[in-house]
mmCIF file of all heavy atoms in Angstrom:
data_model
loop_
_atom_site.group_PDB
_atom_site.id
_atom_site.type_symbol
_atom_site.label_atom_id
_atom_site.label_comp_id
_atom_site.label_asym_id
_atom_site.label_seq_id
_atom_site.Cartn_x
_atom_site.Cartn_y
_atom_site.Cartn_z
ATOM 1 N N LEU A 370 -14.714 14.408 -4.904
ATOM 2 C CA LEU A 370 -15.983 14.113 -5.553
ATOM 3 C C LEU A 370 -17.203 14.565 -4.746
ATOM 4 O O LEU A 370 -18.133 15.148 -5.311
ATOM 5 C CB LEU A 370 -16.076 12.609 -5.855
ATOM 6 C CG LEU A 370 -17.344 12.124 -6.563
ATOM 7 C CD1 LEU A 370 -17.490 12.811 -7.919
ATOM 8 C CD2 LEU A 370 -17.306 10.612 -6.729
ATOM 9 N N PRO A 371 -17.265 14.321 -3.422
ATOM 10 C CA PRO A 371 -18.452 14.757 -2.672
ATOM 11 C C PRO A 371 -18.706 16.257 -2.794
ATOM 12 O O PRO A 371 -19.844 16.691 -2.965
ATOM 13 C CB PRO A 371 -18.119 14.361 -1.226
ATOM 14 C CG PRO A 371 -17.133 13.261 -1.345
ATOM 15 C CD PRO A 371 -16.310 13.614 -2.551
ATOM 16 N N THR A 372 -17.635 17.059 -2.712
ATOM 17 C CA THR A 372 -17.796 18.509 -2.808
ATOM 18 C C THR A 372 -18.263 18.908 -4.202
ATOM 19 O O THR A 372 -19.156 19.743 -4.364
ATOM 20 C CB THR A 372 -16.470 19.212 -2.484
ATOM 21 O OG1 THR A 372 -16.040 18.799 -1.181
ATOM 22 C CG2 THR A 372 -16.639 20.715 -2.486
ATOM 23 N N TYR A 373 -17.651 18.295 -5.224
ATOM 24 C CA TYR A 373 -18.024 18.622 -6.603
ATOM 25 C C TYR A 373 -19.486 18.255 -6.878
ATOM 26 O O TYR A 373 -20.241 19.027 -7.485
ATOM 27 C CB TYR A 373 -17.103 17.891 -7.576
ATOM 28 C CG TYR A 373 -17.444 18.133 -9.036
ATOM 29 C CD1 TYR A 373 -17.068 19.308 -9.673
ATOM 30 C CD2 TYR A 373 -18.139 17.177 -9.766
ATOM 31 C CE1 TYR A 373 -17.387 19.543 -11.007
ATOM 32 C CE2 TYR A 373 -18.467 17.397 -11.096
ATOM 33 C CZ TYR A 373 -18.082 18.579 -11.710
ATOM 34 O OH TYR A 373 -18.395 18.789 -13.020
ATOM 35 N N LEU A 374 -19.908 17.090 -6.398
ATOM 36 C CA LEU A 374 -21.281 16.653 -6.613
ATOM 37 C C LEU A 374 -22.271 17.597 -5.952
ATOM 38 O O LEU A 374 -23.294 17.968 -6.531
ATOM 39 C CB LEU A 374 -21.477 15.229 -6.068
ATOM 40 C CG LEU A 374 -20.869 14.075 -6.871
ATOM 41 C CD1 LEU A 374 -21.053 12.773 -6.117
ATOM 42 C CD2 LEU A 374 -21.481 13.996 -8.251
ATOM 43 N N SER A 375 -21.972 17.962 -4.696
ATOM 44 C CA SER A 375 -22.902 18.811 -3.959
ATOM 45 C C SER A 375 -23.032 20.183 -4.607
ATOM 46 O O SER A 375 -24.095 20.806 -4.572
ATOM 47 C CB SER A 375 -22.451 18.956 -2.503
ATOM 48 O OG SER A 375 -21.189 19.590 -2.433
ATOM 49 N N ARG A 376 -21.964 20.672 -5.233
ATOM 50 C CA ARG A 376 -22.016 21.991 -5.868
ATOM 51 C C ARG A 376 -22.642 21.917 -7.258
ATOM 52 O O ARG A 376 -23.333 22.830 -7.683
ATOM 53 C CB ARG A 376 -20.617 22.584 -5.958
ATOM 54 C CG ARG A 376 -20.033 22.875 -4.581
ATOM 55 C CD ARG A 376 -18.785 23.721 -4.653
ATOM 56 N NE ARG A 376 -18.261 23.971 -3.307
ATOM 57 C CZ ARG A 376 -17.288 24.841 -3.042
ATOM 58 N NH1 ARG A 376 -16.743 25.530 -4.024
ATOM 59 N NH2 ARG A 376 -16.872 25.019 -1.807
ATOM 60 N N LYS A 377 -22.418 20.814 -7.946
ATOM 61 C CA LYS A 377 -22.937 20.715 -9.311
ATOM 62 C C LYS A 377 -24.443 20.519 -9.328
ATOM 63 O O LYS A 377 -25.149 21.083 -10.167
ATOM 64 C CB LYS A 377 -22.252 19.550 -10.042
ATOM 65 C CG LYS A 377 -22.690 19.408 -11.499
ATOM 66 C CD LYS A 377 -21.888 18.321 -12.209
ATOM 67 C CE LYS A 377 -22.297 18.214 -13.666
ATOM 68 N NZ LYS A 377 -21.547 17.176 -14.386
ATOM 69 N N PHE A 378 -24.941 19.712 -8.411
ATOM 70 C CA PHE A 378 -26.365 19.388 -8.412
ATOM 71 C C PHE A 378 -27.079 19.902 -7.169
ATOM 72 O O PHE A 378 -28.029 19.313 -6.695
ATOM 73 C CB PHE A 378 -26.559 17.860 -8.524
ATOM 74 C CG PHE A 378 -26.007 17.281 -9.794
ATOM 75 C CD1 PHE A 378 -24.887 16.469 -9.762
ATOM 76 C CD2 PHE A 378 -26.590 17.559 -11.014
ATOM 77 C CE1 PHE A 378 -24.376 15.935 -10.936
ATOM 78 C CE2 PHE A 378 -26.073 17.028 -12.186
ATOM 79 C CZ PHE A 378 -24.966 16.210 -12.152
ATOM 80 N N THR A 379 -26.572 21.013 -6.621
ATOM 81 C CA THR A 379 -27.100 21.511 -5.347
ATOM 82 C C THR A 379 -28.578 21.861 -5.419
ATOM 83 O O THR A 379 -29.289 21.745 -4.440
ATOM 84 C CB THR A 379 -26.301 22.736 -4.888
ATOM 85 O OG1 THR A 379 -26.779 23.148 -3.606
ATOM 86 C CG2 THR A 379 -26.460 23.900 -5.862
ATOM 87 N N SER A 380 -29.074 22.284 -6.577
ATOM 88 C CA SER A 380 -30.467 22.700 -6.665
ATOM 89 C C SER A 380 -31.423 21.513 -6.785
ATOM 90 O O SER A 380 -32.601 21.632 -6.476
ATOM 91 C CB SER A 380 -30.665 23.625 -7.874
ATOM 92 O OG SER A 380 -30.305 22.952 -9.069
ATOM 93 N N ASP A 381 -30.929 20.392 -7.248
ATOM 94 C CA ASP A 381 -31.796 19.247 -7.489
ATOM 95 C C ASP A 381 -31.587 18.104 -6.499
ATOM 96 O O ASP A 381 -32.471 17.278 -6.311
ATOM 97 C CB ASP A 381 -31.563 18.702 -8.906
ATOM 98 C CG ASP A 381 -31.848 19.747 -9.972
ATOM 99 O OD1 ASP A 381 -32.843 20.476 -9.819
ATOM 100 O OD2 ASP A 381 -31.055 19.846 -10.925
#
Side-chain angles (χ1 to χ4, degrees):
L370 181 60
T372 303
Y373 178 78
L374 286 175
S375 62
R376 295 192 180 190
K377 182 175 182 180
F378 298 110
T379 184
S380 60
D381 300 319

